[in-house]
Every structure is written in C-alpha cells, then in structure tokens.
Amino acid sequence: MDMKQPFERLVDLHGATVLRVCRAVVGPADADDVWQETFLAALRAYPELPPDANTEAWLVTIAHRKSIDSVRSGSRRPVPVAEFPDAHPAHGTAHAPPAGLGDPAADASGDGIWERVARLPDKQRRVIAYRYLADLPYNEIAAILGGSPAAARRAAADGLKSLRAALSAAASEGESA
Amino acid sequence: MTSTPSDIGAVDLALAPELITIEPGALTRLHAALAERASREGLLDVAYRIVETPVGRLLLAATERGLVRVAYEREGHEAVLATLAERLSPRILESPERLGEAARQVEEYFSGRRTAFDLPLDLSLSNGFRRTVIQHLKDIGFGRTESYAEVARAVGNPRAVRAVGTACATNPLPVVVPCHRVLRSDGSLGGYIGGLEAKTSLLRLEAVAA
C-alpha cells in the first residue's frame, strides 16, 4: 500500500532547499514570495501527486514555474539586485558592473556572490541552482528547462566557470587592496 | 576543460556559503505565513499543534469542522499524522492558530479551571457502534465514572461490553471525550490509550478538583 506523507513533512524536508533555489533564481528580495506561491500551489495539487513521485524534483519544478510567473508579473528586472537589503546602494541595477569587477565593499559584507549569480545568463543561473542547490540530476533539470541533459550540463559548466573566474578575480583584488 | 563540473561546483559553493546559509527563523516565518494563507484559501484540511501537559505532549488536530484527533506521545505523533493523511487528507500543516481555542481549554482543564470542553468536534474518525459509544462518553461528567457494562447498557447494547472496551481504546479524542472515566465493574482501571499512568492522573485531577 502506498502511503502519502503529511504535507508538513514536505515543508520540513524540502523547505530550505526550495528557498535556496528561489533565492538563486529570482534573488533574495523576491524569494519569499516565490517560496509561498510554490508551496501553496503544491499543497493544492498534493492529493493528486502519485505517492511514489520524487517530491523534491516536483517542488523545484513548481518553483521554476512560479519564478517565471514572478518575473513576468512585475515590470521589475528578473533579479532585483538593488533590492537586496544589504546590497551596496551605489549600484543601480541597470549599471551593474561586469563580472569580475565587483564592488569590494559588497564582497567584504558577503553579498558579492548574489550579484555574481544574478549576472549569469538565465539558463546558467537556473541550471546551477537546480543542480547544486537542489541536487537534481541533469535529466530532471532538462525536463524542467527543456533541451537535452547534455545542454544542461554544458550550461552548468559555463556558469560555474564564469562564477569561479569572478570569485577568484575578486579574491586577488581583495589581496592586493 | 580538464576538471569536471561537479568539482568546480563544490569549490564554488564552498567559496559562497551565503548561497546555502539560511538565517534562523526564516523558514519558521515562511511556514507560518503558508499555513495562514492555506487556511484562508480552504486548502488546510488538517491543522495540528503540540501542547505540553502534565500527561506529556499531546497532539491536537482539527479539520475545518472541528477537533478531530487528540493523541498521546506514546501513540507516536508521526504515525498519528501519517494515519490522518491516509484517512482524512494529506493536506496537513502544523498551524497553532486553528487549535488556539482547543489548546486554551486543554490547558485550563489540566490546571483545574475547566470541567467541561466546549469545542466543535469532528467525529469522522469514528463510525458505527464506536461512534455511538463516543457520543455517550461525552455525557459522562467531570469527576464521575461509569463501568464498561454501564456504558454498554446506556447505548442500548448491554451484551457489547467488550466492544465498548474497544471503542474506548480507539477513542480518537482522549481527554476531550472522557474515555478515562470508564472503569471495570470491580473499580479497577481497565485499559487506556494514554497508558494507565495517564488515566490515573486524569482521575486524580478530577477527584481533587471535583
């Protein structure tokens, strides 16, 4: 007999992961809203979910759709970097510096990574979030994003490469300062 | 490229702990807001909360119709929730708000300030004869007791003493529906879903307060 666990258990098990994914994909300022919309939609649909379904992949899929809704529903940028509470006020979102030339002040306060993630192309950012924050395999990610698992793997590699380049550039800048 | 993507990933995430760190309280706030909104939109089929009492932690669960389950810790709260998911609905969230009044009355009962519960009850977990017995138990007043045989007679089935025992043992709403007030004809305790120690505690509480 298949037993479906209480929904509370899903929130307990996957709430943190879904929040990390939301933050990486839409930015910290909108992540709470997308998290709420995701779990509310999941709660609505939960009775119909097959009991043997991979609940984490299912939740990330819903979060993916809700993050697209969130981007479409506002006139705001996909990633409202400037709205992050601790972001450096000197940065206008429209004039974000190119990757690798991050604001040292933001780096020192630990917020630089968000800006760098935000500046990745949309697909790279999502693949990295779904692969490394949600730990989904590439075939699941391809099912969510469309395209092939190999393309998802390439996008992750490209994204990580530019993130790593940006981080090490910032690190050496910090050392020379 | 020589290194594999997963190697790079591990390095990058280690360099960026703020991507995986969630500040304390963030998920608690999100959870509370979710439960509140789910309830408002009619999606929260079962809400529950845990209350501390002199007989241990009690789980209180309610549907939109009323209190549906009270469970002792020894029943296994996870197992009880799993059963509720199966029998009622898997749309279950911890949500203290819906149980506010029930928790208050339980607390008053254990502190000796309340002798009767005034709560909407959802008896959908009891059917047939067991439900008839549960209905009768609600009428056994604070500080009084009846024997299993008396309960059987009261529900019009004097030979069903054993079935009355089963109904009490499977009472989904112990404490609030007072199956602890049913004893053996010789005055000995009989069984109790919360354990004999809990049954003794409740009877002593009522004897002192009455």
Side-chain angles (χ1 to χ4, degrees), chain A residues 8 20 23 43-44 110, chain B residues 18 20 23 31 91-92 94:
Chain A
E8 174 73 23
R20 288 184 194 111
R23 286 176 173 182
L43 180 63
R44 195 183 302 274
Chain B
E18 58 270 44
I20 51 170
E23 58 286 7
H31 182 290
R91 285 182 182 142
I92 298 178
E94 182 165 10

Side-chain angles (χ1 to χ4, degrees), chain B residues 5-188:
Chain B
S6 60
D7 289 341
I8 303 170
V11 171
D12 277 334
L13 291 178
L15 283 173
E18 58 270 44
L19 277 183
I20 51 170
T21 306
I22 292 176
E23 58 286 7
L27 285 167
T28 311
R29 274 195 308 279
L30 284 169
H31 182 290
L34 172 68
E36 195 270 323
R37 208 171 142 199
S39 188
R40 194 155 25 93
E41 298 193 16
L43 292 174
L44 185 51
D45 295 336
V46 180
Y48 74 93
R49 79 184 274 173
I50 310 287
V51 294
E52 304 280 345
T53 76
V55 292
R57 288 151 59 84
L58 293 181
L59 179 142
L60 309 179
T63 65
E64 287 181 332
R65 288 189 285 173
L67 192 66
V68 73
R69 187 75 165 91
V70 175
Y72 280 95
E73 206 162 10
R74 74 200 291 268
E75 298 177 70
H77 289 167
E78 288 299 321
V80 169
L81 290 170
T83 305
L84 293 177
E86 196 195 344
R87 291 194 57 187
L88 297 175
S89 163
R91 285 182 182 142
I92 298 178
L93 283 174
E94 182 165 10
S95 177
E97 282 74 31
R98 188 182 289 177
L99 282 311
E101 181 59 22
R104 193 174 64 83
Q105 293 195 16
V106 165
E107 197 268 321
E108 287 171 354
Y109 168 79
F110 280 107
S111 62
R113 288 178 287 133
R114 173 172 290 275
T115 57
F117 289 97
D118 181 17
L119 294 167
L121 301 182
D122 180 343
L123 297 182
S124 56
L125 293 174
S126 297
N127 299 308
F129 184 71
R130 291 182 188 183
R131 187 159 180 161
T132 308
V133 172
I134 298 294
Q135 296 279 14
H136 172 74
L137 295 182
K138 288 197 291 181
D139 299 332
I140 308 178
F142 185 92
R144 286 177 43 225
T145 60
E146 285 185 10
S147 69
Y148 292 100
E150 283 171 323
V151 174
R153 276 200 295 280
V155 298
N157 202 341
R159 296 172 55 130
V161 178
R162 187 173 288 270
V164 166
T166 306
C168 290
T170 57
N171 172 16
L173 292 158
V175 180
V176 173
V177 171
C179 57
H180 59 276
R181 292 175 195 153
V182 184
L183 307 175
R184 289 208 182 114
S185 299
D186 65 5
S188 66

